[in-house]
Amino acid sequence: ERGGYEHFMIKEIYEQPKAIRETMTGRLAKDDSGVIFDELNWTKEYVASIRKVAIVACGTAYHAGMVGKYLIEKLTRIPVEVDVASEFRYRSPLVDEHTLTVIISQSGETLDTLAGLKEAKKQGSRVLAVTNVVGSSIAREADHVIYTWAGPEIAVASTKAYTTQLIVMALLSVYMGGLKGTIPPETSKELCHGLKNLPAQAHELLEDVEAIKTFAEQYGFNEDVFFIGRSLDYAVALEGSLKLKEISYIHAEAYSAGELKHGTLALIIEGIPVIALATQLDVYEKMLSNIKEVKARDAVVIGIGFKGDTEIDKYVDHTIFIPATNKYLTPILSVIPLQLLAYYAAVTRGCDVDKPRNLAKSVTVE
Ligand code: M6R
């Protein structure tokens, strides 16, 4: 059932081009003019009435929500809050009938997330679930459901569920922005076009993993790793760090690069691996300065940048290049090398990749 792969996790990493293609199927207008969600069928009036979006999720799904916040705010100009479900449910959240609560959960069964959904409903909010499991508790309780069509995810470490959740976040932002009139038609077209290219680009990234394997073998025995980035790269850094922690047991921390000086820089010493994401061009120069800061402390820096970026290469020890895409879509590609890095680090360390210690695939207890 692992289809020739050594672990479910690596099989699922390789299933991503297909999973993201299937999650987009039928949801992009043929002429790339916008997004279609038959399952929502929202009106302009409804979208105009939304005053706030509250995203609620746990773990990796929460990280997808962080990307969602960025995209929804940029493309719809509606304020978005993101909470981990175990905080949201107990903090008397300020949601009401003018709030759209978006619940993200691969399994659709995470107890805290389900409780967050119920709390939002109790306060009168409309609830949209984004889940991978048809008929799951969360799908049944929500007012609307958008399914991610990732197929069953078996490995505890979430991979293809995350990238398909990102696809849904992008589709939803374009859909809502289209109805709200906050996205110029060219931007909408560009995004649809960019989305269509992603399966082939993800496939391209998965073709050449030798360098990543080598890094994992080289740095897999280091006890601390840092991930830094700005803007959407910061959200991806958080996900890369979680992946590494949960399956390789390496202590990893993700930091927004601009925060380094406020504490974490004290931990950057000679030989510490720092994974630096630099795909967000509006903050690119700032990111390069942060890279120079960690380099000045003799960290070993692995940069993630766009193919053709000759600048980053000057400041880092190694670069992993990703294919060029729209700035809002980069997380879907930049996370793939991080998933692979975590996977090969765990394999190098002889960890039980698919069933890491102390963790369960679906957290149905508090
Ligand atoms: O099924 P869910 O998406 O609700 O699960 C949420 C988290 O438990 C899950 O993403 C967890 O963080 C993963 N092990 C991360 O790889």
Side-chain angles (χ1 to χ4, degrees):
E1 55 185 352
R2 288 198 302 261
Y5 289 97
E6 203 179 330
H7 300 100
F8 280 110
M9 183 182 175
I10 191 74
K11 174 173 178 262
E12 290 161 6
I13 288 175
Y14 274 85
E15 281 169 352
Q16 289 180 110
K18 177 168 177 261
I20 59 188
R21 184 179 310 109
E22 289 185 355
T23 300
M24 292 188 289
T25 300
R27 291 169 171 170
L28 288 173
K30 290 243 160 20
D31 59 356
D32 281 354
S33 60
V35 168
I36 308 152
F37 270 126
D38 289 332
E39 54 275 74
L40 301 184
N41 228 345
W42 287 346
T43 58
K44 281 188 172 145
E45 291 69 33
Y46 170 59
V47 176
S49 76
I50 303 172
R51 293 201 195 132
K52 180 169 103 177
V53 175
I55 303 182
V56 181
C58 299
T60 286
Y62 168 71
H63 294 154
M66 289 187 65
V67 173
K69 170 185 165 75
Y70 192 97
L71 300 188
I72 296 170
E73 283 189 344
K74 283 273 182 196
L75 299 172
T76 72
R77 306 313 290 158
I78 303 171
V80 183
E81 277 176 10
V82 198
D83 275 275
V84 288
S86 54
E87 292 297 322
F88 179 86
R89 64 179 291 199
Y90 293 120
R91 74 170 175 91
S92 310
L94 290 169
V95 295
D96 59 22
E97 64 277 19
H98 297 294
T99 310
L100 170 69
T101 301
V102 179
I103 299 282
I104 311 177
S105 173
Q106 186 284 129
S107 63
E109 301 298 343
T110 302
L111 186 88
D112 278 326
T113 312
L114 181 59
L117 183 163
K118 289 182 177 157
E119 177 63 28
K121 270 181 92 173
K122 207 167 95 194
Q123 305 301 328
S125 171
R126 208 191 270 219
V127 174
L128 162 65
V130 177
T131 179
N132 196 39
V133 180
V134 176
S136 56
S137 307
I138 285 173
R140 281 186 278 117
E141 295 271 343
D143 299 302
H144 310 274
V145 185
I146 298 177
Y147 286 108
T148 48
W149 297 115
E153 192 181 64
I154 311 287
V156 166
S158 183
T159 53
K160 60 178 181 169
Y162 174 74
T163 40
T164 55
Q165 285 158 358
L166 295 185
I167 294 286
V168 170
M169 290 301 113
L171 291 171
L172 184 65
S173 320
V174 176
Y175 178 72
M176 289 174 65
L179 285 167
K180 197 145 187 256
T182 42
I183 316 183
E186 322 78 78
T187 311
S188 186
K189 228 179 194 140
E190 246 176 67
L191 277 158
C192 292
H193 190 69
L195 280 159
K196 280 189 183 157
N197 284 335
L198 286 173
Q201 292 179 317
H203 179 79
E204 184 187 328
L205 262 175
L206 289 164
E207 294 248 275
D208 179 20
V209 302
E210 278 318 304
I212 297 171
K213 249 188 197 169
T214 312
F215 302 148
E217 281 159 14
Q218 232 170 321
Y219 304 112
F221 289 97
N222 227 299
E223 286 313 315
D224 300 282
V225 173
F226 291 87
F227 290 77
I228 57 171
R230 283 171 177 258
S231 177
L232 283 173
D233 283 340
Y234 170 49
V236 178
L238 286 165
E239 174 58 8
S241 153
L242 173 63
K243 230 57 327 155
L244 189 67
K245 265 189 273 208
E246 74 177 325
I247 59 166
S248 75
Y249 316 144
I250 295 172
H251 167 241
E253 255 188 68
Y255 248 75
S256 55
E259 275 285 297
L260 276 173
K261 279 201 187 77
H262 300 283
T264 305
L265 202 53
L267 296 173
I268 306 295
I269 51 167
E270 190 183 344
I272 287 272
V274 175
I275 321 285
L277 292 108
T279 72
Q280 296 299 297
L281 300 182
D282 26 10
V283 286
Y284 185 76
E285 290 304 323
K286 303 276 167 207
M287 191 57 209
L288 281 188
S289 329
N290 297 128
I291 291 176
K292 288 179 202 163
E293 271 163 19
V294 294
K295 227 17 247 173
R297 274 89 193 165
D298 292 320
V300 179
V301 182
I302 299 173
I304 314 263
F306 281 127
K307 208 169 267 174
D309 179 350
T310 48
E311 192 60 18
I312 191 173
D313 247 356
K314 295 184 196 152
Y315 308 106
V316 302
D317 296 276
H318 315 278
T319 318
I320 299 170
F321 290 108
I322 64 164
T325 180
N326 181 286
K327 66 175 174 183
Y328 298 129
L329 305 177
T330 53
I332 299 155
L333 297 176
S334 59
V335 76
I336 294 176
L338 306 188
Q339 296 169 340
L340 289 163
L341 206 58
Y343 174 76
Y344 287 113
V347 169
T348 304
R349 291 162 72 98
C351 298
D352 187 350
V353 174
D354 285 336
K355 285 197 174 9
R357 69 187 177 208
N358 310 339
L359 302 177
K361 180 64 184 163
S362 190
V363 184
T364 51
V365 291
E366 257 195 89

